[in-house]
Amino acid sequence: MNRGKSSDETLIEMNRTAWSGGEENNGFHSGSDKETLQLEDAEVDKQQQSKDSVYFRDGVRRIDFVLSYIEDKDGERKQDRRKEFEANLQKAGLELETEDKSESEDGKTYFLKIHVPWEVLATYADVLKIKVPFKTNDIVEKKEVPMSWLCTPYRLPEHVMQPEPDYFTATFDKSKIDFFLIEDKDTFFPPSTRNRIVYYILSRCPYSKDDKDKKGIKRLLNNGTYTAAFPLHDSRYWTRSRDANCESERYALYKYWARFSRFYKEQPLNLIRKYYGEKIGIYFAWLGFYTEMLSYAAVVGLFCFIYGLVSFDENVWSKEICNETIGGQIIMCPLCDKKCGYWKLNTTCSSSWQSYLFDNTATVFFAIFMGIWVTLFLEFWKRRQARLEYEWDLVDMEEEQQQMQLRPEYETKCTHRRLNRVTQELEWVLEQSPADKAGRFILCWATVVLWISLIIASIVGVIAYRLAVFAAFASIMKDSPTNKMDLIGNLITPQFATSVTASCINFVIIMILNFLYERVAIRITDMEVPKTHVEYENKLTVKMFLFQFVNYYSSCFYVAFFKGKFVGYPGDYSYMFGKWRNEECEPGGCLIELTTQLVIVMVGKQVWGNIQEALVPWLCNWWVSRSARKHPESLYSRWEQDHDLQGFSQLGLFYEYLEMVIQFGFITLFVASFPLAPLLALMNNILEVRVDAWKFTTQFRRPVAAKAHSIGAWDEILNMIAVFSVVTNAFIVSFTSDMIPRLVYKYVYYEVNEGMMEGYINNSLSFFNISQFKPENSPEDSENPDWFFSSNITTCRYRDYRYPPGHEKQYVHNMQFWHILAARLAFIIIMEHVVFVVKFFVAWLIPDVPSEVKARIKRERYLIQEYLHNYELEKLKIQLSQNGSNIEQCTCPTTAAAPVKLEVLSDCLT
């Protein structure tokens, strides 16, 4: 291999040489072709051999990848593409075997089976810098943790948790094959590595003689030349393979991981990584760790909720609201114009008790706790991720190395080379003028802003619905039969009906906008032509999360920080668009409505997501394979079984991460309003782990293995949410909750030294003279209750702190309002500083990489240097001794140099 060039550039040149049909290529594979013919001559009768196999007909060569296609009546162009593509695959060293359509269950699908021989594997492993074992790990494991026997019920068998021995590894080098621990070339590279290499070749193989830029299996799938491309599962998921040489790892994953009865067991992460690759393994490791950490937050949140139940007797203000002599005598001002009448405060008795469950002293504690919990979660995940990076050979996998994973779509558009200032090597680049770049950037982000504007417009529409419908509900429900029901009469109020229906409408709008924007985001990211898969996913992640953030959280932000804050006062109300009067909060506050909004959106999304993830693939697979299930197992081939499953999208993991990160936002940004949110998230995630495992194992084709050393851009997004959540929860406690006004009343305005907050409700309501109502605000006589006309009522009450009528500053905010505002701002500053100081201290205290992992990394690097040094010395001694014997036999210098040249040529895959 040419060491003077970058590995990616070398590989591209090697591929171009291979697919141009050079003389070296034909000469290199002549022996392999003869061997293939001999193997085909020795194949057994297909009718006597079970087709539920992962091997070619000879029973020796493993099927590493499968392509399927259907011949169309007018498919001459597709046939030419396939012919050229398959010829180039064979030139690249891959071995092919076709299953005729007569052998398939539907009688019209061809299956092209692909095997990658050792020479191809070795060359691409060298180029892709794949790490392989060279020495058994000699570092002694730490002693068992005390009381570890308590975790025995949650453990899996050792052979499942550790499917492979622990080795020290080094980057594969084809020229030093005897340096590595190679016992069997057929099993040295696991199937996940083999299918990754095959897909790399498939993605870059040309399919046109005239235009070499037309290449890649992805294009052929898009234009219908092939209908599917996938690696094979190694067995049926419910039983082991009959072939003793087959690992049956899929069966082990289903038995120990994907069954719902195993929900309390640990995950076999090493087996997941071995079967699906590091990228999927990292996702399940993160999901499992996130779920584990949620259990602590769920327990604390549950205790806070129980505290609200136990401390009901301390809720003096709710008792005053429900008291006939206090709340029953307080006449409240109408909540809307014309169609809303005067009402008594005790009608909100039930909602006041409900609000106390979440709006109590424990709320402040839980908000602070969650700010610290988020930091612990992120810091401990860094340590867990560092350990996985070492155990899965991802330590030296830097972003620069991922340049080898260039997207075929990018490579196709590259026409020029440019000198890399760092490596001083020529590299392929996409030539774009500054105007072209600026145009793409503006177009992409203008589209994102447009769609975010659509979300804001839809939220404004929902707010308008709330304002318009509230008056209608108030008028209709005044004489509703439900008011006479003992159990639900007090619960079904105009406010409750408006909140629930608006939340449901908002949820439907959210799902519709999500469905439409996903396709738009993918389209505009494709327009940017990112260089690598990592860059592509990061760009798409930012676009999707910005949209989802506004889409899912905007309604909660409205209820938490805007509703009831800009309503004005009786006689001078504020209006939206000059038409609809702004909403007011109930005397108990807006917190209970924020809780309702959060529960509906969060739970609705989780239920819908699980149905979509589990039910839809199962129904599709059941329908596709309904006729094939009637055949004997030996005739229902392994490739047909996998072909009938759902294909796993390249962005499949992206949606899984997105779902969990949105949930993470719900349980952190608004958790002060609903301490049970982590408990609901925990129950969902316990189910989510098994649903995803079941889906991957039973409902989807085997994904192409891919490497990833972290969760990517999601890590930064989680950190952003963690910081933002401290601010939002501080504002919720200060402005949405009634905690601060109650504390100010207790310590500043409550005159009795010992007591239980008597008089708080009366103190929190201001007076308004009914005679000063404007005609457009005054309720119609038919809307007022009968008791209003039988009493001499001159004033009504409203939620605010203003001077009473007759005062020289009537209806102007009084001093208590400014005291409360100052206390609210002070609480925000204090809470933020306390939480941030603790967060930074915890982040500084906990190292990102465990000391044990650091020691192992240093030990491995030392051993690599030592072993390579010794290896090169031994190799040099052998070479010198051979050269000495050659000189004695023949002193011709050209003869001695020839083998070296041949070795270099054979080192290049052509």
Side-chain angles (χ1 to χ4, degrees), residues 590-871:
C590 277
L591 195 71
I592 189 65
E593 189 169 340
L594 175 59
T595 302
T596 303
Q597 180 78 24
L598 182 64
V599 170
I600 289 177
V601 177
M602 177 181 171
V603 175
K605 182 185 183 303
Q606 291 180 348
V607 171
W608 174 253
N610 284 326
I611 291 174
Q612 195 175 24
E613 286 184 19
L615 190 59
V616 173
W618 181 81
L619 288 175
C620 292
N621 291 336
W622 176 84
W623 180 258
V624 170
S625 62
R626 64 192 185 282
S627 59
R629 289 192 298 270
K630 301 175 184 178
H631 299 313
E633 290 187 6
S634 61
L635 297 181
Y636 191 23
S637 64
R638 167 105 320 270
W639 43 91
E640 285 182 282
Q641 294 174 40
D642 286 7
H643 182 263
D644 290 343
L645 298 177
Q646 295 295 298
F648 185 74
S649 167
Q650 188 178 2
L651 296 175
L653 276 187
F654 168 82
Y655 295 113
E656 300 293 345
Y657 276 118
L658 182 62
E659 178 186 3
M660 288 295 102
V661 171
I662 292 296
Q663 182 204 81
F664 180 81
F666 278 124
I667 68 163
T668 53
L669 294 173
F670 309 102
V671 75
S673 68
F674 189 45
L676 293 180
L679 180 61
L680 294 180
L682 174 64
M683 293 188 294
N684 173 81
N685 286 10
I686 290 173
L687 181 65
E688 178 78 20
V689 171
R690 304 304 158 177
V691 168
D692 285 348
W694 173 81
K695 181 177 63 177
F696 272 89
T697 309
T698 68
Q699 303 302 308
F700 282 110
R701 298 169 187 158
R702 186 173 183 172
V704 178
K707 278 189 173 291
H709 63 88
S710 68
I711 60 176
W714 298 111
D715 196 18
E716 294 300 324
I717 290 175
L718 290 174
N719 279 286
M720 181 198 73
I721 293 176
V723 174
F724 197 39
S725 67
V726 177
V727 180
T728 57
N729 283 303
F731 271 86
I732 287 173
V733 173
S734 295
F735 287 95
T736 310
S737 163
D738 266 5
M739 180 62 62
I740 302 301
R742 289 199 293 263
L743 291 175
V744 170
Y745 174 77
K746 181 177 181 179
Y747 292 107
V748 179
Y749 293 92
Y750 189 49
E751 297 178 355
V752 182
N753 293 331
E754 295 182 3
M756 298 293 290
M757 295 283 291
E758 291 88 350
Y760 168 72
I761 289 298
N762 186 61
N763 176 267
S764 66
L765 299 174
S766 298
F767 290 89
F768 181 77
N769 192 334
I770 292 176
S771 61
Q772 295 178 346
F773 263 122
K774 297 177 182 179
E776 59 269 20
N777 300 137
S778 182
E780 298 175 355
D781 291 340
S782 60
E783 300 297 335
N784 288 322
D786 295 336
W787 52 261
F788 178 79
F789 299 102
S790 61
S791 305
N792 185 20
I793 300 173
T794 59
T795 61
C796 64
R797 310 292 293 273
Y798 61 99
R799 180 184 168 87
D800 209 341
Y801 294 91
R802 295 178 183 269
Y803 289 109
H807 193 278
E808 60 180 353
K809 296 181 180 179
Q810 67 173 5
Y811 308 137
V812 176
H813 284 126
N814 58 24
M815 189 56 64
Q816 187 174 354
F817 170 84
W818 299 109
H819 286 166
I820 291 173
L821 180 61
R824 282 171 165 164
L825 296 176
F827 175 82
I828 291 173
I829 294 172
I830 293 172
M831 178 179 169
E832 286 183 355
H833 280 71
V834 168
V835 175
F836 280 134
V837 167
V838 174
K839 280 169 65 70
F840 291 135
F841 176 73
V842 170
W844 170 80
L845 188 65
I846 302 174
D848 291 348
V849 182
S851 57
E852 176 195 356
V853 174
K854 288 182 179 178
R856 286 172 174 261
I857 293 173
K858 291 178 180 178
R859 171 68 175 163
E860 185 170 292
R861 287 175 176 168
Y862 167 76
L863 285 177
I864 291 174
Q865 293 178 353
E866 182 184 27
Y867 273 60
L868 277 176
H869 176 72
N870 294 336
Y871 173 82

Side-chain angles (χ1 to χ4, degrees), residues 316-365:
V316 177
W317 49 94
S318 291
K319 291 180 180 179
E320 290 184 346
I321 291 175
C322 299
N323 194 318
E324 283 291 336
T325 60
I326 302 177
Q329 300 301 316
I330 296 177
I331 310 303
M332 302 297 295
C333 298
L335 294 173
C336 64
D337 297 338
K338 296 292 186 181
K339 294 299 180 180
C340 296
Y342 297 95
W343 51 286
K344 292 184 178 181
L345 182 61
N346 64 349
T347 57
T348 62
C349 177
S350 297
S351 63
S352 175
W353 283 107
Q354 295 165 16
S355 179
Y356 177 76
L357 292 175
F358 309 109
D359 189 4
N360 51 61
T361 308
T363 301
V364 180
F365 165 76

Side-chain angles (χ1 to χ4, degrees), residues 15 84 118 124 186-187 249 352 429 456 474 508 576 662 825:
N15 289 341
E84 180 67 19
W118 168 256
Y124 276 86
D186 292 334
T187 59
E249 291 174 346
S352 175
V429 293
I456 296 173
V508 172
M576 181 180 178
I662 292 296
L825 296 176

Side-chain angles (χ1 to χ4, degrees), residues 252-271:
L253 286 170
Y254 176 73
K255 180 180 179 181
Y256 294 104
W257 178 52
R259 296 167 67 179
F260 293 96
S261 59
R262 300 280 180 169
F263 73 92
Y264 62 94
K265 295 284 189 179
E266 61 184 337
Q267 297 188 85
L269 294 177
N270 289 319
L271 184 58

